[in-house]
Amino acid sequence: MTTASEGTITQYRSWAVEEFRAEEEPYYVPVGDEVELFQAAWDSKVPVLLKGPTGCGKTRFVEYMAYHLNRPALVIRDGRKVIESEDNLPLVTVACHEDLTASDLVGRYLLEGEETKWIDGPLARSVKAGAICYLDEVVEARKDTTVLIHPLTDHRRILPIEKKSQLLQARDGFLLVISFNPGYQSALKDLKQSTRQRFISIEFGYPPRETEARIVAHESGVDMDVAMNLAKMAEKVRNLREHGLSEGASTRLLIYAGKLIQNGIAPRRACQVAVAWALTDDGDVQRSIEEVISSIFE
Amino acid sequence: MPSLPGWCPVADTLDRAQEALGAFPPSLQQDYEAARGALAPVLAPQELASWADDGVEIARHSLRSWEAAGEYFRASPGMLERLTFSRFREWTRTGVELVEASPALAGAYFRSSPASLQYLSVTQAPDWAAQGRSLYKGTWKSGSLAAQYFEVSPQVLPQLPLNQMRLLVDLVESLAGHSYELASACLNMSPDVLGQLDRPDRAPFLEFGSVVAGTAWVDARVYFERGPTLVRHLHPQQRARFLALAGRVAVGVGRLGHPYFMEAAQSLAEIDRDAHRDMLELAEGIAPTSGIAAMEFVKSAPEVLRRLRPEDLPRWQEAGRQILDVSPDGGEAFFRLESSKGEDIIEALSSRVELERVSELIRMYCKALTGADVAVHSAEQLAEKGVGWVDESSPTTEGTAIYLPPTVEQYTEKDENFAVYKVFATHQAARLEFGSFAFDYARPGRIFQRAAREDAPARDPEQAEAVTAMERFFDGFADRRLAHDIFTIVEDTRIDTMVKREYAGIRRPMSRLQEAALERRRPLEEMPVRQAMIENLLRASLDEGLRLHWPAELHAVMQRPLGILGRIREEGATVEDSGAATRVLYDWIRQVPNVELDEADWSEMTEGAADEEMVDIGPGSGDGQMESYQPNLPQGEEQPYESPEPIDFRGDFKPELVQLLMKLKNQQMGDGDTPPVQLSKEQLQELLEKSTEINITELSEGDLDESSGMFLDNLMKEVEQQIQQAAQQQAGKRGDGSDPEDSGEPLPEIAESFYYDEWDFRASDYKPRWCRVQEMRMEHGEIDYYQRTLSDYAQLVQETRRQFEQLKPEMFRKIKRLPDGDDYDLDGVIEWIVERKAQAQSEAKLYYRRNKVERDVAVAFLLDMSASTDEEITKHQPRPEGTDNNFDDDPRKYLSWWAQKRAQDARHPAKRIIDLEKEAAVLLIEALETIGDTYGVYGFSGYGRDNVEFFVIKDMDETLNNDAKERLDKVAPVRSTRMGPAIRHCIYKLKQTAAKVQILVLLSDGRPQDHGYGRDRTEKEYAIHDTKMALTEARREGMTPFCLTVDRAGHDYLKQMCEDMGYEVVGDIESLPRRLPSLYRRLTQ
């Protein structure tokens, strides 16, 4: 970890991508056996695909797993291997977008002075560091990137760096995790079978009302009654999918609403801005969500 | 004649007179003698002589004047009773003057005088005569009209003072200027017409009549026939005012004045009379600016008053007046209710909420609550189905849809009325959400832990098997009605409590409705005891802490039911708990006799906490208790039991019927949890007869067998419909890619209706929901057509296909000189390094990137299928050689040419415009398939604003299959061209696609034209403006509209219609098939 500017008061902290680790345990409430599944996948070096609607906790789950997956730091002392310390895994997260190319992930030459200098991309760095590399919304990226990850996801676990004519063998601990939201992407942006079939797939849904309320209460600080109402409201709003709503209200939005409520915003108003208006621009749908909100909150 | 003294000239005169009269028919002499006999005693001799002379003078005046003289003689005795002789002479002189004009006129004058002058003062007589005289214009027709005047006078004058009669004369005179027949008919009707009117209304009626005669004389007869009835509908004090207003307006608007009067009067008749004054005051406020608007205001008033409270009307009028000040046409459209602004203002002012406007919102709300695809409809629709529900205003549900009253206007604020809807909908949705209809006979509830089965009495083995759990449950009660009433109260209590618990936000409006419901309850004192107990239970269900009114000595009897009701409110209660509670309550309440409470010590009690034992409902519980209360129970004659009046917001509750519908549905679908059970007709029949939820007699008239048969038919129809809907929803979810084969038989093609506004350029406003577009699929024709066209144009097809292939974008395009990118661009790097070496400053833009280029185009083709496209286009064909029409006047040459031409035409029938439109479409479709753009091909025609036909040949999301090709064959000329709505519907179609580039191509053969598309058939402006507006709307949506016409005269209106948008006139129509694809290329490049 390095501070941004030496000698001045540090306003922010920054890390090299492969050095980032969660310091505190991320809050995550397991809904099913996803923790065990992920653990097993990591142990056996099987890449993981996380499927689920936005804001249901995929990213948080990966953070949580990275924190809990320990990689022993091996040190040779007196001719014997000793476990010196256990360290949680670094987590490299790449949010994929439609202009994300292979070289954005692997690395490229940059000009420096009159020379060129190779800079590793995040994928190459996590391969070297043995980190979990999390490609969020992978289908958004260009097709060439998905092909790039193929050799990393099978028994070879290598990353070819074409421009340098190198092959990079992944360090222990490296795991490729991708996420994919089947809900709103058009058929065009479906994952290719050849890519899909390289991952085990863990499906995420919205947590049950009780669990979701607990999460909301924890994350936003509202009391359990309010959290239950928020979760109830989300459940109702999720019934409206396919009605101009491509996705239901996410847990994340509920947490936002909870935070607003915690900061003194009236619940109806908080839900209006955090849920109804955030979800859709369609006036009719907005109005019906608002009616649901006003039925649940006084 | 001077009278000489000493001589008796009088007798002489009289004799001479008699003699003179001898020259005339004998009847005249008889009249003379009779009159003379009567007059001799009252007149002085000289007077008598001058009287006789006058008579002779009249008789001698002209050929037929002796008849007038006869009338004179006959009228004289009567007249002299009333007049002094000098006045009598004046009267005579008037008559003599009339003889000068027309003897017949004079005759009528004399004849009518005795009766008429009864109603006139002596001095008025000359005026009266003069009025009649004024009608005479020297012609035979005018003479008889004037004579008629005198004839009707005795009937008119009692009703109309002479000065007002002048109005009638003016009116008649004015009509006579156009038609004597009409004038005479009106004059004839006048006594009767005036008789129908109240005295003060007569003059105003005639005054407006004069205006009508002046502006629209043809309408006068109608006015006389129907006017009085219309006027009588008005408030007595407002009639004159209304007629005056109508008159002022008519002066301004001419011919339209009278129709406006009629329509406005009819409208006023629909409004409460007491409101007429305010209404006219408002209309008078408009009239100075525009008479038409004022009358339109009155015409629209009943409709507006259905939506606005009377006190809001001035604000509506004021809004309209402001528009009127700016634009007369706009204001008139406003008051005619043909303006979107007007509609918005009414909507804003109105506190009423219409289901139509909120049903989509409520539907989504209910879907959110229940998670099921519930439809929301008006309760009227359910009543129409005849499946057991009859109330058209009560909210209810039959298990798949929620039915609500068509409007709510209980409160003065819109929000409050909407809240009423919301409470209605929430209660019904809660029945679905909290399982009111999921009652299971064998499942125990959670509070009481008892299943209905455990408590039911032994079943009669003879009895047919119950169809549903609910039926089985109710079968266990001897008094089914009582059981149903108790179950309804208990279950509604449970639902209300659940709603209030789950949906805190709805508590307040719901409590308000509960309070309102409580206020409307009938007084308890009037009811017999058992009924009062049920009533109290119902009241307690509306308000948990309610202080109940109840006889003190019976408190203990009421305590237990209240305690049980309280337990139903506990969290976790299910519908089975309601069932168990019903069982206990029924057994308890049944023991209370239904007798009058004569003397009771009324006091208050609350639900309160009952002790454990009281609310225990296990077997045998409470058995002995009632006996201990026995002495307190009143005695007397058993009264018939009546169900409590229903609670508005809870609506109709028919669990038995809903379960039956569900069962039938499952049986039909055969995919329920239970294996399909065949229900026998007898079972249904029995259910029908015993159920208290259905009242066959209310459903229809006729004998029981017939109506129950009909009911069963309706029921089955409803079930089938529900199944179909469910199937459609399923299909909808699967998307259009699903195989049409699985849905079995193809469903009949139903036209789907869409409503669009229409632009009224005069009013600068939209006419709301003005046009109905009926979308339907074109019929299937022969596939050969498509193939034939392709082979006919084989050369051109190849060409266009090649051209279009070139349009296909390269997938990636390399973009150089970027500050960041995939990799270095070597040229750039070398250049940059060279520049650096040369010490030049240059930016380090050294990278390249491959950018993906996607073609994302959707296009809608709209083909004009108006009748005019039927026109043949032979005239553009070059004449075959050797036919220079020079036949040298040799008929044989001509005949042989003609025969040749006929034969040729039969081989190659002349092409019509539509044929070329179709061929162009075929070519374009072929071209588009190579390029992969999304496209739809549509045709339109129709007649009138409510029937714009929109034919789908190939929809946007359809792939080009044989269906579409076959449909193209059927494109044929139909009727008119109302372009606006067709374009608007295309916009809707295009909006469904998510393409970045959206194009709308309109292919027509002429200007827009339709019935009612403009002020009259010849007006072109209106249609052009509406079309232009529709095209502008397309542009506003980010689409590219383009008009292509084969009308050579198209330039003038296209220029106006499309202004800066693209358009083209294809001069040589035969080039259309070639032109269209190349045009398309240009549009999308």
Side-chain angles (χ1 to χ4, degrees):
Chain A
M1 194 187 95
T2 57
T3 49
S5 50
E6 312 230 346
T8 56
I9 303 161
T10 309
Q11 298 284 334
Y12 59 90
R13 297 189 298 170
S14 68
W15 290 266
V17 279
E18 70 275 25
E19 285 170 358
F20 172 75
R21 289 178 172 80
E23 285 170 14
E24 280 172 33
E25 182 188 9
Y27 179 82
Y28 181 81
V29 183
V31 177
D33 59 351
E34 69 269 25
V35 173
E36 291 77 15
L37 285 173
F38 195 96
Q39 171 86 48
W42 182 75
D43 287 345
S44 43
K45 302 188 167 79
V46 175
V48 178
L49 161 64
L50 305 179
K51 262 201 279 186
T54 182
C56 68
K58 299 187 294 284
T59 305
R60 179 62 68 86
F61 172 67
V62 178
E63 283 173 11
Y64 174 83
M65 291 313 295
Y67 180 85
H68 281 279
L69 292 174
N70 294 325
R71 185 181 48 188
L74 292 177
V75 173
I76 313 281
R77 187 178 292 165
D78 304 334
R80 288 174 57 203
K81 286 182 183 172
V82 181
I83 295 172
E84 173 91 314
S85 66
E86 287 195 23
D87 208 352
N88 47 32
L89 283 184
L91 174 64
V92 176
T93 304
V94 181
C96 301
H97 52 85
E98 53 186 5
D99 277 339
L100 188 89
T101 60
S103 48
D104 289 332
L105 285 177
V106 177
R108 58 161 61 100
Y109 283 108
L110 287 178
L111 280 174
E112 222 175 70
E114 295 193 1
E115 301 193 337
T116 56
K117 187 186 169 197
W118 175 261
I119 302 289
D120 276 335
L123 186 60
R125 286 171 182 232
S126 33
V127 165
K128 287 179 178 170
I132 291 182
C133 183
Y134 177 46
L135 303 179
D136 202 358
E137 303 286 3
V138 72
V139 282
E140 291 289 345
R142 291 199 183 188
K143 292 281 180 296
D144 51 341
T145 57
T146 46
V147 180
L148 184 79
I149 58 182
H150 284 185
L152 264 180
T153 48
D154 51 27
H155 64 279
R156 292 171 285 176
R157 281 169 65 85
I158 48 169
L159 177 67
I161 303 180
E162 211 181 319
K163 286 170 191 159
K164 290 171 75 180
S165 306
Q166 278 183 348
L167 290 178
L168 212 54
Q169 176 76 50
R171 185 179 160 187
D172 263 5
F174 170 79
L175 184 73
L176 190 65
V177 180
I178 62 176
S179 80
F180 165 51
N181 181 349
Y184 68 83
Q185 272 109 1
S186 62
L188 260 175
K189 289 196 168 167
D190 209 350
L191 268 185
K192 276 193 290 189
Q193 282 298 319
S194 57
T195 308
R196 256 188 122 114
Q197 295 198 12
R198 288 165 186 275
F199 295 84
I200 63 155
S201 175
I202 303 178
E203 289 223 13
F204 283 71
Y206 299 110
R209 197 194 278 192
E210 192 84 26
T211 314
E212 188 163 36
R214 254 169 57 214
I215 297 167
V216 172
H218 176 273
E219 293 285 301
S220 65
V222 293
D223 61 37
M224 204 47 195
D225 281 350
V226 176
M228 275 303 273
N229 274 337
L230 283 169
K232 187 198 297 169
M233 184 257 300
E235 205 179 284
K236 303 294 178 198
V237 171
R238 283 168 198 156
N239 284 334
L240 282 180
R241 252 175 297 171
E242 292 156 24
H243 278 271
L245 275 191
S246 44
E247 295 253 317
S250 63
T251 312
R252 181 168 44 221
L253 283 181
L254 298 189
I255 294 167
Y256 290 170
K259 284 180 175 169
L260 292 181
I261 294 170
Q262 198 58 13
N263 274 301
I265 306 290
R268 282 187 178 183
R269 180 73 177 147
C271 292
Q272 189 183 36
V273 298
V275 180
W277 294 358
L279 274 178
T280 174
D281 299 322
D282 182 322
D284 288 346
V285 185
Q286 270 184 1
R287 180 84 200 276
S288 41
I289 297 175
E290 283 169 24
E291 292 305 335
V292 173
I293 293 169
S294 69
S295 278
I296 290 174
F297 291 96
E298 267 183 286
Chain B
M1 185 183 295
S3 53
L4 301 170
W7 193 62
C8 186
V10 175
D12 186 42
T13 313
L14 291 176
D15 290 342
R16 266 190 291 118
Q18 185 126 28
E19 200 182 302
L21 293 174
F24 297 100
S27 67
L28 185 61
Q29 258 179 334
Q30 285 157 20
D31 287 338
Y32 167 74
E33 274 162 27
R36 183 178 155 188
L39 294 180
V42 285
L43 288 183
Q46 282 86 357
E47 290 171 341
L48 199 62
S50 61
W51 168 77
D53 273 349
D54 287 344
V56 172
E57 190 191 337
I58 292 167
R60 280 186 176 151
H61 179 271
S62 54
L63 190 59
R64 312 263 318 173
S65 66
W66 63 269
E67 286 166 341
E71 297 291 351
Y72 170 69
F73 291 137
R74 278 200 295 277
S76 294
M79 293 308 293
L80 276 166
E81 283 172 22
R82 218 168 294 128
L83 300 178
T84 59
F85 191 71
S86 63
R87 288 284 182 198
F88 179 80
R89 286 300 303 266
E90 274 175 37
W91 173 75
T92 309
R93 265 197 296 282
T94 309
V96 172
E97 281 160 23
L98 287 175
V99 175
E100 293 284 334
S102 148
L105 191 57
Y109 166 74
F110 289 130
R111 188 164 55 243
S112 148
S113 285
S116 298
L117 291 184
Q118 288 176 27
Y119 307 105
L120 295 173
S121 70
V122 176
T123 49
Q124 281 174 323
D127 288 343
W128 172 68
Q131 279 182 18
R133 173 72 178 78
S134 71
L135 285 173
Y136 178 69
K137 310 286 185 211
T139 61
W140 172 77
K141 278 185 175 171
S142 65
S144 84
L145 185 67
Q148 206 185 341
Y149 163 83
F150 289 115
E151 271 155 27
V152 298
S153 284
Q155 289 117 59
V156 172
L157 281 169
Q159 309 189 50
L160 213 55
L162 188 66
N163 57 342
Q164 290 180 5
M165 191 155 177
R166 178 79 240 166
L167 295 169
L168 180 64
V169 172
D170 287 347
L171 198 165
V172 170
E173 195 176 344
S174 153
L175 286 177
H178 300 285
S179 155
Y180 274 102
E181 284 71 28
L182 183 60
S184 146
C186 286
L187 189 56
N188 241 345
M189 276 189 266
S190 60
D192 180 42
V193 165
L194 293 168
Q196 292 178 49
L197 292 163
D198 290 348
R199 186 165 286 277
D201 305 334
R202 290 172 188 153
F205 182 85
L206 292 173
E207 274 162 15
F208 179 61
S210 296
V211 180
V212 172
T215 54
W217 59 273
V218 194
D219 291 336
R221 187 192 295 269
V222 182
Y223 177 65
F224 266 62
E225 279 168 1
R226 299 189 43 205
T229 326
L230 288 172
V231 170
R232 268 212 318 274
H233 286 309
L234 306 180
H235 187 280
Q237 250 119 57
Q238 306 305 322
R239 292 172 187 162
R241 190 173 180 180
F242 175 68
L243 286 163
L245 175 70
R248 284 203 299 283
V249 171
V251 168
V253 303
R255 288 267 306 122
L256 291 175
H258 184 253
Y260 267 128
F261 156 80
M262 302 252 293
E263 285 165 319
Q266 262 154 7
S267 286
L268 281 173
E270 291 174 37
I271 303 175
D272 181 26
R273 277 184 169 209
D274 293 331
H276 287 178
R277 193 176 68 93
D278 295 341
M279 215 59 60
L280 289 175
E281 203 162 288
L282 292 173
E284 282 164 354
I286 304 169
T289 327
S290 160
I292 292 182
M295 291 319 250
E296 293 287 0
F297 166 81
V298 179
K299 271 169 65 183
S300 303
E303 170 62 23
V304 175
L305 280 177
R306 267 191 282 279
R307 300 173 58 186
L308 293 184
R309 286 168 299 154
E311 54 268 39
D312 289 328
L313 206 61
R315 285 163 69 196
W316 180 68
Q317 184 253 23
E318 179 55 35
R321 265 174 55 194
Q322 280 171 11
I323 295 176
L324 197 62
D325 287 340
V326 186
S327 143
D329 287 311
E332 282 155 22
F334 177 96
F335 288 117
R336 208 181 293 131
L337 301 181
E338 286 179 3
S339 116
S340 305
K341 281 178 216 146
E343 195 64 14
D344 292 347
I345 286 166
I346 291 184
E347 188 53 30
L349 288 176
S350 167
S351 65
R352 182 168 81 158
V353 179
E354 286 159 45
L355 182 63
E356 206 179 293
R357 284 180 179 266
V358 297
S359 65
E360 186 56 22
L361 176 62
I362 292 180
R363 189 180 69 79
M364 280 196 271
Y365 170 76
C366 292
K367 180 170 181 186
L369 254 47
T370 59
D373 271 315
V374 280
V376 171
H377 298 299
S378 158
E380 290 165 340
Q381 278 185 36
L382 184 59
E384 270 168 27
K385 287 179 179 171
V387 289
W389 281 265
V390 285
D391 195 329
E392 295 188 346
S393 59
S394 221
T396 188
T397 173
E398 34 69 295
T400 62
I402 288 173
Y403 295 87
L404 299 170
T407 57
V408 169
E409 46 184 342
Q410 290 182 12
Y411 299 108
T412 52
E413 292 299 321
K414 217 181 189 90
D415 289 355
E416 290 171 325
N417 285 327
F418 179 74
V420 171
Y421 260 132
K422 205 172 154 185
V423 173
F424 284 4
T426 309
H427 189 87
Q428 299 306 323
R431 280 184 185 163
L432 301 173
E433 187 183 357
F434 303 124
S436 288
F437 306 113
F439 181 80
D440 188 315
Y441 195 60
R443 183 169 54 209
R446 277 196 234 140
I447 301 296
F448 297 122
Q449 303 282 335
R450 296 195 67 78
R453 187 169 55 187
E454 297 171 51
D455 297 320
R459 199 171 168 83
D460 179 2
E462 297 279 294
Q463 208 173 357
E465 196 57 44
V467 178
T468 65
M470 217 65 242
E471 183 191 355
R472 180 82 178 78
F473 174 70
F474 284 128
D475 280 349
F477 298 93
D479 186 344
R480 218 180 165 97
R481 171 172 298 281
L482 182 66
H484 188 271
D485 290 344
I486 295 174
F487 183 72
T488 305
I489 293 171
V490 173
E491 179 60 11
D492 275 335
T493 309
R494 185 181 79 89
I495 293 294
D496 275 359
T497 316
M498 297 277 263
V499 166
K500 283 189 163 182
R501 189 181 298 130
E502 284 287 301
Y503 303 111
I506 208 105
R507 274 181 214 158
R508 201 174 311 147
M510 185 155 164
S511 301
R512 190 171 171 184
L513 286 180
Q514 287 178 325
E515 282 161 29
L518 272 175
E519 278 166 22
R520 279 199 292 272
R521 303 310 297 173
R522 270 174 56 204
L524 274 175
E525 288 85 342
E526 294 172 0
M527 301 177 191
V529 187
R530 192 193 298 154
Q531 205 175 312
M533 251 180 113
I534 297 286
E535 173 66 24
N536 249 342
L537 205 58
L538 182 71
R539 291 184 189 186
S541 84
L542 286 169
D543 181 358
E544 206 172 341
L546 185 70
R547 303 187 75 76
L548 291 172
H549 201 49
W550 192 242
E553 64 272 21
L554 295 175
H555 271 198
V557 180
M558 194 70 223
Q559 204 66 50
R560 185 161 189 251
L562 291 179
I564 289 168
L565 199 66
R567 291 207 63 191
I568 268 300
R569 291 197 165 107
E570 286 173 27
E571 200 160 346
T574 64
V575 67
E576 286 80 17
D577 286 315
S578 295
T582 302
R583 181 81 249 171
V584 184
L585 287 170
Y586 174 86
D587 292 342
W588 183 262
I589 293 172
R590 271 285 276 185
Q591 297 177 56
V592 178
N594 200 29
V595 298
E596 298 282 0
L597 269 173
D598 291 330
E599 285 163 29
D601 176 15
W602 292 93
S603 67
E604 287 187 339
M605 67 180 292
T606 52
E607 201 171 299
D611 57 56
E612 281 286 314
E613 200 197 336
M614 289 269 291
V615 295
D616 179 29
I617 67 160
S621 64
D623 273 359
Q625 288 184 34
M626 187 58 96
E627 277 156 37
S628 61
Y629 304 137
Q630 211 66 44
N632 290 340
L633 292 174
Q635 307 287 317
E637 197 187 334
E638 188 80 4
Q639 300 291 316
Y641 168 78
E642 281 173 38
S643 294
E645 290 187 18
I647 305 288
D648 284 350
F649 76 90
R650 288 174 174 171
D652 276 350
F653 183 46
K654 300 190 190 290
E656 207 176 338
L657 215 50
V658 174
Q659 280 204 343
L660 175 67
L661 273 167
M662 287 173 167
K663 185 100 178 186
L664 288 170
K665 196 166 139 187
N666 282 346
Q667 180 192 319
Q668 290 276 310
M669 308 239 280
D671 61 2
D673 296 335
T674 46
V677 199
Q678 277 307 313
L679 298 178
S680 67
K681 196 147 181 138
E682 289 69 38
Q683 271 177 310
L684 288 172
Q685 194 93 25
E686 193 193 319
L687 186 146
L688 202 63
E689 274 157 29
K690 68 191 176 192
S691 175
T692 52
E693 294 177 5
I694 315 152
N695 191 341
I696 289 290
T697 49
E698 263 183 62
L699 281 174
S700 66
E701 288 154 17
D703 70 312
L704 190 72
D705 261 6
E706 193 183 312
S707 31
S708 68
M710 209 168 76
F711 173 76
L712 287 178
D713 287 349
N714 289 343
L715 214 56
M716 293 318 292
K717 228 188 294 173
E718 172 61 19
V719 166
E720 259 155 43
Q721 234 172 43
Q722 285 187 11
I723 291 170
Q724 253 186 27
Q725 269 163 13
Q728 270 168 13
Q729 271 165 6
Q730 279 299 318
K733 271 180 193 155
R734 276 202 310 269
D736 261 285
S738 72
D739 199 358
E741 258 82 20
D742 1 316
S743 54
E745 300 237 321
L747 297 169
E749 197 63 65
I750 305 162
E752 210 181 331
S753 294
F754 297 83
Y755 293 87
Y756 293 98
D757 296 353
E758 186 166 285
W759 179 252
D760 179 354
F761 78 101
R762 287 203 180 79
S764 300
D765 195 357
Y766 286 100
K767 292 180 174 172
R769 278 172 76 87
W770 197 249
C771 298
R772 184 173 64 184
V773 172
Q774 310 248 50
E775 181 185 319
M776 53 197 113
R777 290 198 174 270
M778 183 66 86
E779 283 173 60
H780 285 236
E782 297 299 321
I783 187 125
D784 292 357
Y785 171 77
Y786 191 87
Q787 304 302 350
R788 208 170 48 236
T789 311
L790 282 185
S791 57
D792 283 356
Y793 283 91
Q795 178 70 31
L796 192 55
V797 170
Q798 280 300 323
E799 228 169 273
T800 41
R801 219 181 258 165
R802 238 192 339 269
Q803 286 169 344
F804 271 68
E805 269 162 9
Q806 285 166 7
L807 272 180
K808 238 181 185 174
E810 285 176 70
M811 278 304 273
F812 293 100
R813 192 180 293 164
K814 209 167 179 177
I815 300 176
K816 294 182 178 181
R817 304 201 178 253
L818 295 173
D820 186 19
D822 294 352
D823 207 344
Y824 290 121
D825 167 26
L826 202 57
D827 296 344
V829 173
I830 292 167
E831 209 172 291
W832 181 71
I833 289 178
V834 169
E835 278 177 15
R836 269 181 61 123
K837 298 269 183 200
Q839 304 285 314
Q841 293 287 321
S842 69
E843 270 183 285
K845 289 187 173 172
L846 312 173
Y847 294 87
Y848 75 82
R849 180 191 286 270
R850 286 182 187 278
N851 263 6
K852 204 173 171 183
V853 185
E854 277 170 298
R855 189 180 164 92
D856 193 7
V857 180
V859 59
F861 283 97
L862 194 52
L863 303 182
D864 178 355
M865 286 166 56
S866 60
S868 54
T869 55
D870 208 12
E871 197 184 312
E872 292 183 1
I873 47 173
T874 42
K875 56 188 172 198
H876 303 309
Q877 274 177 351
R879 251 183 225 141
E881 270 179 55
T883 54
D884 45 5
N885 283 10
N886 183 7
F887 305 114
D888 302 333
D889 291 326
D890 182 346
R892 273 171 307 176
K893 263 191 188 172
Y894 172 75
L895 273 176
S896 78
W897 171 84
W898 185 78
Q900 208 180 342
K901 187 175 179 297
R902 275 283 298 261
Q904 199 179 357
D905 285 354
R907 278 197 307 275
H908 303 283
K911 275 191 182 157
R912 300 165 302 166
I913 295 173
I914 194 96
D915 294 324
L916 284 164
E917 280 187 15
K918 280 159 76 174
E919 285 167 9
V922 171
L923 280 159
L924 193 70
I925 287 174
E926 230 15 61
L928 285 169
E929 285 295 321
T930 62
I931 197 173
D933 288 354
T934 311
Y935 67 98
V937 183
Y938 309 99
F940 76 100
S941 187
Y943 184 72
R945 67 184 174 100
D946 56 350
N947 187 26
V948 180
E949 291 163 335
F950 190 89
F951 301 98
V952 176
I953 298 153
K954 179 197 165 291
D955 222 338
M956 289 283 179
D957 50 5
E958 243 176 317
T959 46
L960 179 69
N961 48 20
N962 286 350
D963 286 352
K965 291 177 182 174
E966 283 167 19
R967 280 188 219 122
L968 193 64
D969 181 32
K970 279 282 173 183
V971 173
V974 195
R975 300 190 78 172
S976 302
T977 336
R978 205 181 191 97
M979 287 184 185
I983 293 172
R984 290 188 179 97
H985 194 59
C986 262
I987 296 175
Y988 164 81
K989 288 275 178 195
L990 277 171
K991 264 162 80 179
Q992 307 294 304
T993 71
K996 281 192 192 123
V997 180
Q998 299 177 334
I999 298 172
L1000 196 164
V1001 179
L1002 172 65
L1003 188 55
S1004 75
D1005 74 326
R1007 62 174 74 251
Q1009 221 166 27
D1010 188 17
H1011 169 73
Y1013 209 27
R1015 250 200 279 228
D1016 50 55
R1017 199 66 216 186
T1018 54
E1019 194 207 42
K1020 300 159 182 171
E1021 289 291 291
Y1022 181 93
I1024 287 174
H1025 274 97
D1026 178 52
T1027 310
K1028 177 182 172 185
M1029 190 47 88
L1031 292 168
T1032 313
E1033 285 161 30
R1035 264 251 298 246
R1036 235 179 268 149
E1037 293 286 345
M1039 297 163 187
T1040 312
F1042 193 90
C1043 294
L1044 192 62
T1045 186
V1046 295
D1047 180 8
R1048 286 174 175 201
H1051 274 295
D1052 60 338
Y1053 62 88
L1054 275 175
K1055 202 187 279 171
Q1056 193 187 353
M1057 218 159 77
C1058 304
E1059 237 168 31
D1060 50 344
M1061 287 171 265
Y1063 74 91
E1064 186 169 307
V1065 177
V1066 181
D1068 174 13
I1069 184 170
E1070 281 168 277
S1071 69
L1072 185 68
R1074 182 180 291 273
R1075 190 76 196 103
L1076 190 60
S1078 71
L1079 197 108
Y1080 181 73
R1081 259 187 319 135
R1082 210 184 65 208
L1083 271 177
T1084 56
Q1085 247 168 358

